[in-house]
Amino acid sequence: MSQEAVPSSQPKGLLQQMEELMAALNADLSQLDADFQQSAERPAPTTPTPADGSDRA
């Protein structure tokens, strides 16, 4: 199996693409984390249970 010489401009192009993708992923994860933190601050709606415990089997 032989390896071909890769033009010097191609690795920089790939590196640039990877950096852009990582930046976009980081931004998406930051937004997701912010949304998650905001939803964690709100109490989840709960269903009331009967005080006499009649819902127990």
Side-chain angles (χ1 to χ4, degrees):
M1 188 187 262
S2 65
Q3 291 185 346
E4 297 178 15
V6 178
S8 61
S9 62
Q10 189 172 2
K12 287 186 178 182
L14 292 174
L15 180 60
Q16 181 66 32
Q17 288 179 354
M18 288 298 295
E19 288 175 347
E20 290 172 4
L21 288 170
M22 290 299 292
L25 178 60
N26 192 25
D28 288 346
L29 288 175
S30 295
Q31 183 62 50
L32 184 62
D33 183 50
D35 292 346
F36 180 73
Q37 293 295 332
Q38 186 178 21
S39 68
E41 292 173 4
R42 291 185 297 224
T46 57
T47 55
T49 55
D52 64 357
S54 62
D55 64 334
R56 295 183 187 168

